[in-house]
Amino acid sequence: QDNRISIWSSGDLGNAGLNGEYHGEPRLLCDIQHNGDVMDMQFLDQERIVAASSTGTVTIFRHHQNNQTLSASHRWEKAHYHVDQDTSCGGAACTGVVCNNPEIVTVGEDGRINLFRADQKDAVRTIDNADSSTLHAVTFLRTTEILTVNSIGQLKIWDLRQQRNEPSQIFSLAGDRVPLHCVDRHPNQQHIVATGGQDGMLSIWDIRQGTMPVSLLNAHEAEMWEVHFHPSNPDHLFTCSEDGSLWHWDTSTNVSEKPSFLHQGGRSTAYLSHSTINQSVVSAWLSNDPTKDRMEITNLIPNQTLSVNSLDVLGPCLVYGTDAEAIYVNRQLFA
């Protein structure tokens, strides 16, 4: 009932022990009340955080580092709604938010897409009937293009320069209509996209060709809640699931030469491919010859049974949150 957004200091890397285990205590720097469930949030810049609420409201919170407080600096009330914005119960959950300062894009259960600017009171652009089903997640493809995933297994590209309210491209999982919950774009090769959904499968798409995934990888045994390419080392990808697992997918080419850096062996996976790509340079993610594929997959939390709801990764650090009401920080990702 009582929800909060909190800023933590996870301490100083200098405190790591000999085996890399971390000794400093995490400290709660500040927190603030949040109306509704926090469905998604993202930093807009060094001091501002955008949060998506189950009430349909989108809020920018400012972290004042001089006195360690949080304040709500801007709020778009009921940016997402079912019937109309004015009825008291009209809000529809805002399911996803993505920022490219000063622009903020939100999607929701109402199938709406909003484009906001941090310094403007009203939405810059709203696509009211962008989707007839729930939009679960959104990411920027380029500065003017976004990608959404929905609850009937479709991936859609929207060009924000176009005034039309239709997607410029639609991709879909063949015939299955499995709801897609999460999406991430490869940080260097913007045509490579990863999605995950209700069946736990990891799908890799090449949006330059075809309307189906390039490959489908058996992954989790329940819903996949989040997928992330490592921002500076995108041969590494991370997925987490309702089944309590968090998988590290490693496609770096020298995978067979190096010792496995995690000893709780995950299970390896069949690689199914739908297409042939004749290019001299091809990302490991688009490789279509399983014999050349040396993908190493490790379950980073083998004995966990509760859902892993969210993850993020930066440098050697992996952060994830679970239904155990705990946040975990792994600082030794590539030890």
Side-chain angles (χ1 to χ4, degrees):
Q1 297 301 310
D2 175 28
N3 297 310
R4 308 187 80 76
I5 284 180
S6 311
I7 302 259
W8 294 80
S9 161
S10 60
D12 183 21
L13 270 172
N15 294 349
L18 287 173
N19 304 326
E21 77 277 20
Y22 171 68
H23 294 307
E25 275 295 306
R27 282 182 309 132
L28 177 63
L29 298 179
C30 50
D31 63 0
I32 192 168
Q33 253 188 316
H34 181 272
N35 200 1
D37 297 345
V38 181
M39 304 296 285
D40 196 8
M41 59 178 171
Q42 203 175 53
F43 278 98
L44 178 66
D45 55 26
Q46 288 292 321
E47 52 183 34
R48 288 181 296 176
I49 302 140
V50 182
S53 170
S54 58
T55 64
T57 294
V58 178
T59 310
I60 302 180
F61 293 97
R62 188 179 286 275
H63 175 211
H64 307 275
Q65 290 169 1
N66 52 354
N67 61 355
Q68 290 304 345
T69 56
L70 271 167
S71 66
S73 69
H74 193 84
R75 194 173 267 129
W76 290 282
E77 294 284 349
K78 290 198 189 142
H80 294 273
Y81 55 92
H82 284 306
V83 187
D84 61 67
Q85 272 174 304
D86 305 324
T87 50
S88 59
C89 56
C94 176
T95 50
V97 58
V98 65
C99 303
N100 186 9
N101 192 9
E103 299 193 315
I104 299 160
V105 174
T106 68
V107 296
E109 273 181 9
D110 53 358
R112 225 175 232 97
I113 299 174
N114 289 307
L115 171 62
F116 296 110
R117 263 197 203 96
D119 46 14
Q120 292 186 16
K121 190 163 148 294
D122 297 318
V124 178
R125 172 103 190 264
T126 294
I127 305 177
D128 270 328
N129 299 310
D131 215 297
S132 55
S133 65
T134 295
L135 289 169
H136 282 136
V138 58
T139 188
F140 273 101
L141 212 48
R142 296 180 187 80
T143 48
T144 56
E145 278 187 317
I146 56 166
L147 195 69
T148 58
V149 293
N150 69 12
S151 59
I152 55 171
Q154 291 174 323
L155 203 140
K156 297 182 181 180
I157 297 177
W158 305 83
D159 186 337
L160 297 172
R161 292 165 303 189
Q162 301 288 334
Q163 283 312 304
R164 296 181 313 129
N165 288 345
E166 275 90 46
S168 51
Q169 271 176 288
I170 300 180
F171 303 82
S172 55
L173 294 168
D176 293 340
R177 299 200 161 230
V178 175
L180 291 172
H181 292 303
C182 53
V183 59
D184 197 29
R185 186 206 80 202
H186 191 289
N188 316 333
Q189 296 176 303
Q190 294 171 327
H191 55 277
I192 301 176
V193 171
T195 63
Q198 190 149 323
D199 57 0
M201 294 282 272
L202 171 63
S203 307
I204 306 291
W205 311 69
D206 181 347
I207 59 172
R208 298 169 305 183
Q209 52 177 3
T211 56
M212 285 170 48
V214 175
S215 52
L216 290 167
L217 298 136
N218 286 311
H220 303 280
E221 282 159 15
E223 292 91 341
M224 185 190 296
W225 292 130
E226 193 107 60
V227 57
H228 273 299
F229 285 101
H230 192 287
S232 54
N233 198 346
D235 286 345
H236 298 266
L237 178 104
F238 299 85
T239 59
C240 64
S241 167
E242 180 72 27
D243 68 9
S245 60
L246 192 162
W247 284 19
H248 176 179
W249 307 71
D250 179 359
T251 64
S252 50
T253 45
N254 60 347
V255 112
S256 54
E257 285 88 60
K258 68 180 185 199
S260 172
F261 43 83
L262 291 148
H263 308 294
Q264 319 110 320
R267 49 190 178 147
S268 62
T269 298
Y271 197 92
L272 326 164
S273 185
H274 289 319
S275 67
T276 49
I277 304 163
N278 308 316
Q279 280 159 310
S280 49
V281 183
V282 100
S283 160
W285 292 109
L286 300 182
S287 158
N288 61 300
D289 180 355
T291 55
K292 287 215 276 297
D293 266 325
R294 291 182 299 199
M295 188 183 292
E296 192 172 307
I297 300 163
T298 317
N299 182 5
L300 301 186
I301 35 177
N303 304 321
Q304 169 68 274
T305 52
L306 295 168
S307 174
V308 185
N309 302 318
S310 189
L311 73 92
D312 207 354
V313 60
L314 186 68
C317 283
L318 169 76
V319 180
Y320 58 95
T322 77
D323 271 358
E325 298 189 12
I327 297 165
Y328 299 86
V329 181
N330 173 349
R331 297 172 174 273
Q332 294 295 111
L333 212 43
F334 301 111

